[in-house]
Amino acid sequence: MNRTFTFALAVLMLLAMPFSLMAQKNGELWLDTEGTHINAHGGNIIKYGDKFYWYGENRPYRGFTTEVGVSVYSSTDLRTWTNEGVALAVSDIKGHDIERGCIMERPKVLYNAKTKKFVMLFHLELKGRGYEAARVAFAESDTPVGPFRYIRSTRVNAGKWPFDMNKAQRKAAQKTDAAAWKDWWTPEWRAETEKGMYLWRDFNGGQMSRDMTVYIDDDGKAYHITSSQENLTLLVSELTDDYLDFTGKYNMVAPGGQNEAPTILKHDGTYWLICSGCTGWAPNRARMFSSRSIWGPWKQHESPFTGANATYRNFPADKTFGGQGTYILDLQSLGKESLSASQYLFMADIWNPEHLSQSLHIWLPIQFTADGTPRIEWRETIGKK
Ligand code: DGJ
């Protein structure tokens, strides 16, 4: 074979390769089998049968509202993704909760082994009301690709106290008055907030729910973890057996800590929560908490991120390499140990607020230090090192 022929053959082979196999580098666009950047942000991945399904926000090129709905992609190897269309579509009915122009964020799908249904929970903001509705919404489907049927949206745990709040603490919360505080961040405001000022303000109508994730424990029980109380406090709430409602049992994590974008894993009996701070679309330093029980007590640790993003705009570890977490993929539970040197992949979005659809995906392996603490370094690819 002469050189020109070999070169031409190599070029042809490269062109014939599915786009997605060439892509999937952290810091670059990730292309689906049609060569289009994967428009599934803030989402999660489940396995059903021999396929993986990736759900996420279908974002417009311009603007911040939801014009399409929740996307779903499928894959057999977690690398090559086929666009399966819209799992849950916006509605064209005026005044509908998910009317086109609402905001649907951070969709997470759970497969319920008992009911054999796929259940989607997501953060919903009603059309034209900014981020004030702060609701969680439910949808359900018989198949992984949908179409999901929209069920309802709600604030969470209306009329319920966190299960571990004692009588004296409940009394103290009832003496607070959020309407009286014009100036935030003063020591007095903080003290009132810690007493449960926003918990009490929203007690009857239900607690706010914005950035959220879900977690199914080893016993099949599922939990909803959300940024509540004006994004100041995380709530962990137990879901009913069909995953379509809350049981009413919940508690608070890091009251007043301003944590968003919760992600969770359980390793050797310890739950690790990795969150972000609250700076809109801009990256910030991640926060991490651990507990031996989903109900706490949670201990705060340093951010697990270390080093710098060497390939994409040099974002350092204290900016989460430019990303904001969305989900932790437990590869072992998906039967896919061989994809990475690590059992867990931290999935994050590098938001592009000018063109949200073009926001980048980064997946990074979570390693454990000798003392068993998670640690995340920048990697260009998710493959074994
Ligand atoms: C940060 C959140 O994590 C995102 O999901 C989104 O709600 C943006 N804030 C909006 O500014």
Side-chain angles (χ1 to χ4, degrees):
M1 258 195 285
N2 70 35
R3 269 202 199 163
T4 325
F5 181 75
T6 317
F7 178 72
L9 194 69
V11 169
L12 267 177
M13 279 169 71
L14 260 173
L15 287 176
M17 242 170 114
F19 283 103
S20 49
L21 283 182
M22 294 192 284
Q24 281 228 9
K25 267 194 178 166
N26 288 323
E28 293 181 4
L29 293 174
W30 285 16
L31 307 182
D32 65 14
T33 49
E34 287 159 14
T36 306
H37 180 54
I38 295 173
N39 197 348
H41 307 282
N44 81 327
I45 290 177
I46 63 165
K47 188 175 185 201
Y48 182 71
D50 55 4
K51 278 196 178 171
F52 301 97
Y53 295 90
W54 182 356
Y55 304 88
E57 300 159 15
N58 182 306
R59 287 291 195 165
Y61 187 69
R62 284 190 204 288
F64 297 91
T65 53
T66 302
E67 305 300 318
V68 174
V70 176
S71 310
V72 55
Y73 292 78
S74 71
S75 171
T76 50
D77 59 6
L78 288 169
R79 291 179 191 275
T80 309
W81 292 97
T82 303
N83 188 350
E84 298 281 358
V86 182
L88 174 66
V90 291
S91 166
D92 281 318
I93 301 169
K94 209 170 165 14
H96 194 285
D97 277 6
I98 57 166
E99 180 182 358
R100 195 184 306 279
C102 67
I103 299 175
M104 292 155 82
E105 289 187 349
R106 300 190 173 269
K108 303 286 178 296
V109 171
L110 300 160
Y111 176 65
N112 189 305
K114 278 190 196 148
T115 61
K116 308 214 177 335
K117 302 271 189 205
F118 297 83
V119 177
M120 183 190 294
L121 279 79
F122 60 97
H123 167 199
L124 175 68
E125 296 294 348
L126 302 176
K127 184 174 180 178
R129 287 177 46 187
Y131 277 83
E132 75 171 29
R135 296 189 189 177
V136 58
F138 293 86
E140 192 183 50
S141 168
D142 301 320
T143 70
V145 292
F148 280 69
R149 295 176 292 279
Y150 178 74
I151 301 177
R152 70 180 193 293
S153 70
T154 176
R155 284 274 180 102
V156 302
N157 302 313
K160 305 264 195 260
W161 291 103
F163 81 96
D164 56 356
M165 221 167 152
N166 65 31
K167 256 192 177 170
Q169 289 167 325
R170 292 177 189 194
K171 266 197 167 167
Q174 288 172 68
K175 285 194 186 132
T176 61
D177 178 11
W181 295 91
K182 301 257 166 332
D183 295 328
W184 283 33
W185 313 117
T186 63
E188 297 77 17
W189 173 88
R190 256 184 212 289
E192 292 300 287
T193 297
E194 275 159 31
K195 281 185 205 158
M197 179 158 70
Y198 295 103
L199 174 75
W200 178 238
R201 181 195 68 182
D202 296 336
F203 188 78
N204 291 320
Q207 302 299 318
M208 300 174 100
S209 177
R210 291 198 181 119
D211 278 12
M212 51 143 279
T213 194
V214 291
Y215 179 70
I216 304 186
D217 215 333
D218 310 330
D219 57 3
K221 268 209 179 308
Y223 300 89
H224 171 250
I225 304 172
T226 194
S227 189
S228 186
Q229 300 175 14
E230 304 291 352
N231 292 349
L232 290 163
T233 299
L234 291 169
L235 303 184
V236 176
S237 308
E238 189 179 66
L239 295 175
T240 51
D241 285 351
D242 59 8
Y243 304 163
L244 291 172
D245 208 344
F246 296 91
T247 63
K249 181 171 183 183
Y250 77 106
N251 78 349
M252 301 190 279
V253 180
Q258 278 200 294
N259 293 293
E260 270 195 328
T263 64
I264 188 167
L265 69 86
K266 184 177 172 184
H267 185 68
D268 287 345
T270 299
Y271 298 83
W272 294 93
L273 251 180
I274 302 177
C275 312
S276 73
C278 299
T279 49
W281 301 109
N284 53 50
R285 189 186 184 84
R287 294 94 183 278
M288 184 163 72
F289 304 86
S290 70
S291 172
R292 297 290 292 178
S293 156
I294 194 88
W295 298 120
W298 293 90
K299 177 182 169 205
Q300 184 151 11
H301 302 258
E302 285 299 313
S303 157
F305 290 83
T306 173
N309 172 341
T311 39
Y312 184 74
R313 296 175 54 191
N314 276 102
F315 277 114
D318 71 1
K319 291 276 185 274
T320 313
F321 304 140
Q324 187 184 32
T326 178
Y327 196 66
I328 295 175
L329 251 190
D330 179 345
L331 293 170
Q332 206 165 69
S333 77
L334 295 180
K336 202 71 191 142
E337 306 92 296
S338 58
L339 187 74
S340 159
S342 149
Q343 181 183 336
Y344 307 96
L345 287 180
F346 183 79
M347 293 170 60
D349 300 275
I350 296 186
W351 296 114
N352 175 347
E354 272 80 51
H355 304 297
L356 273 182
S357 63
Q358 305 305 99
S359 301
L360 301 174
H361 309 286
I362 52 176
W363 291 5
L364 296 167
I366 302 179
Q367 314 287 336
F368 286 86
T369 58
D371 69 358
T373 309
R375 174 190 163 98
I376 305 175
E377 287 168 1
W378 176 256
R379 293 280 171 81
E380 200 172 279
T381 65
I382 53 173
K384 287 185 175 176
K385 215 183 178 183

